[in-house]
Amino acid sequence: MLTWAHIGDLHASSDDDYLGTARLAEWAAQARQQLRGAVDFVFVPGDNANNGLPAQYARIVDALDGLDIPIHAIPGDHDREPGHLNAFARMPGAGVLPRAVHADGRRCLFLDVVSAGGGPDFRLGEAQLAWLADELEASRSDTHRPAVFMHAYPGDLAHEGEALGQLFAQANVAVVDTGHTHYNEVLNDGRVIHASTRSLAQIEEDDGQPGFSIVTLDGCHVGWRFKRLASSWPFVTITAPADRRLDTGYTPVPVVRAKIFGRDIAIVTLAVNGQAAQVMDQDEWNAAVWSAPLGRHYERSGAELVVTATDSRGNSHTDRIEWLGARQRTRELSDAPLGTDAHAVEPWPEHGLLGTQLGPNKHGRKW
């Protein structure tokens, strides 16, 4: 199982008294206590420094000081506002792009969509597109499906978007994780899950509540859930099977698995279709993972699955999904180009998806 935390566009700037980095420091304090050992890395999707200035990156460095979880950062158009990415090198987890990282046995590909075009003219360029095609071809021999990380959806690219969406589908990419939108959104084009997480500073949806998403890849199953910074712990996300909104093909699931984030978890239970809850077992190798068998008779009909975790202080949290089983998808898939928001799933407030599209690149105000 591969798990990462996604911290949305920071837009570090004195214009708002460094609101994004203050919230980043608050998140890092929580992460040190609640996420350590439960996530493989942190993804920071670009538009980190609002004007690409060294002083803005210095604030980000300070906010992340002491965080002992690996970080992978990529640039957005705001990082390249000076016309180059020289200062971006100070960003924790920046590294050389594009790059391939093998995490928990899965190929993760991190892309730069701003250098070839500049500003918001997103594009990969010939060299990077060739590199990506080679990596995706090599991934066909991997045990697990690859994941891709970029600043914007393929459909937001200037010229290569439609071809890129097709490439991801043909290569059996599991998920493409992005920023840029400033709002939470998940796309399911029937082949690939695309997801974006709202900005940590410039927020218009959900009364401006900051937070982060947790993404899981459990075998072929994709999980995505948003957590407000102000909400309490523990935090639960069912990792397998996939909810109907995130389903890209039926796969038999003999067990239900969930990941529990938080400390001193006392008990985790599973309820199927409202029946009496059963106690789940803690994984021998990963204390954050819990599982319970799922009856074979649910395999064709699917089921509503509810997992609840309670810690030693009596605090509890629940995740609920609708598993389709072998049934046909209940949502019609669009014929629109792959990797575009025409494939957005319906609102799912329990997972942080409000369907508002309130952001500066869509229906929101200009920041």
Side-chain angles (χ1 to χ4, degrees):
M1 187 191 302
L2 179 66
T3 307
W4 65 89
H6 176 137
I7 305 300
D9 306 31
L10 304 174
H11 286 280
S13 172
S14 60
D15 293 345
D16 59 5
D17 198 23
Y18 288 98
L19 179 62
T21 50
R23 289 171 171 170
L24 180 64
E26 180 184 351
W27 171 84
Q30 292 189 31
R32 284 192 289 269
Q33 294 293 319
Q34 311 291 352
L35 297 181
R36 187 171 57 182
V39 298
D40 295 281
F41 59 84
V42 178
F43 172 50
V44 191
D47 284 359
N48 310 293
N50 195 54
N51 309 104
L53 301 177
Q56 295 170 344
Y57 290 110
R59 292 288 190 125
I60 297 172
V61 171
D62 289 345
L64 292 172
D65 183 47
L67 182 68
D68 54 357
I69 303 172
I71 299 170
H72 292 290
I74 60 174
D77 42 296
H78 282 260
D79 294 291
R80 202 177 183 279
E81 190 172 295
H84 53 74
L85 291 175
N86 296 345
F88 172 72
R90 297 195 60 180
M91 180 73 194
V96 176
L97 292 168
R99 68 176 176 271
V101 175
H102 291 264
D104 200 29
R106 195 180 297 261
R107 191 180 305 248
C108 299
L109 306 177
F110 297 87
L111 306 179
D112 172 6
V113 300
V114 299
S115 292
D121 182 20
F122 303 130
R123 61 184 77 204
L124 290 173
E126 291 184 7
Q128 189 172 199
L129 189 58
W131 174 90
L132 176 61
D134 288 344
E135 286 289 337
L136 291 176
E137 181 61 30
S139 76
R140 295 182 186 277
S141 61
D142 294 348
T143 302
H144 299 296
R145 299 166 64 189
V148 175
F149 301 82
M150 52 194 292
H151 180 61
Y153 294 145
D156 292 325
L157 268 63
H159 301 291
E160 307 143 327
E162 189 165 352
L164 188 60
Q166 290 285 352
L167 178 62
F168 290 156
Q170 293 165 1
N172 203 26
V173 170
V175 64
V176 178
D177 202 10
T178 68
H180 185 59
T181 65
H182 289 216
Y183 47 80
N184 293 338
E185 189 170 63
V186 171
L187 318 180
N188 182 352
D189 58 25
R191 303 162 181 81
V192 181
I193 299 298
H194 297 73
S196 63
T197 300
R198 67 178 173 238
S199 169
L200 204 59
Q202 299 179 0
I203 313 167
E204 295 176 63
E205 68 177 9
D206 197 20
D207 296 323
Q209 290 284 340
F212 63 101
S213 63
I214 289 179
V215 188
T216 58
L217 294 178
D218 191 350
C220 62
H221 306 279
V222 179
W224 188 97
R225 196 170 192 193
F226 182 82
K227 184 184 186 302
R228 288 176 171 180
L229 273 183
S231 65
S232 61
W233 299 88
F235 185 73
V236 180
T237 183
I238 297 173
T239 65
D243 180 82
R244 63 175 177 82
R245 303 162 186 85
L246 305 177
D247 176 60
T248 54
Y250 169 66
T251 301
V253 179
V255 298
V256 175
R257 282 159 53 95
K259 206 156 195 184
I260 315 301
F261 306 89
R263 303 172 62 191
D264 304 323
I265 304 302
I267 187 172
V268 180
T269 62
L270 165 67
V272 182
N273 286 345
Q275 298 179 10
Q278 59 177 305
V279 176
M280 302 181 75
D281 296 320
Q282 192 172 27
D283 189 83
E284 180 180 357
W285 306 107
N286 189 331
V289 177
W290 298 69
S291 63
L294 180 63
R296 300 289 296 185
H297 53 283
Y298 295 116
E299 190 172 305
R300 292 203 58 80
S301 62
E304 181 189 63
L305 308 175
V306 179
V307 172
T308 301
T310 305
D311 65 20
S312 59
R313 294 169 295 281
N315 302 311
S316 64
H317 188 249
T318 294
D319 191 16
R320 176 182 288 101
I321 69 164
E322 300 172 41
W323 179 48
L324 288 178
R327 293 179 296 162
Q328 295 296 312
R329 293 187 183 92
T330 57
R331 181 175 57 85
E332 290 188 8
L333 298 176
S334 171
D335 292 329
L338 305 179
T340 67
D341 62 13
H343 301 279
V345 305
E346 70 267 29
W348 190 10
E350 297 82 2
H351 274 229
L353 299 174
L354 305 181
T356 57
Q357 292 191 326
L358 286 174
N361 303 298
K362 203 68 176 179
H363 303 304
R365 67 183 178 89
K366 300 300 179 183
W367 289 80

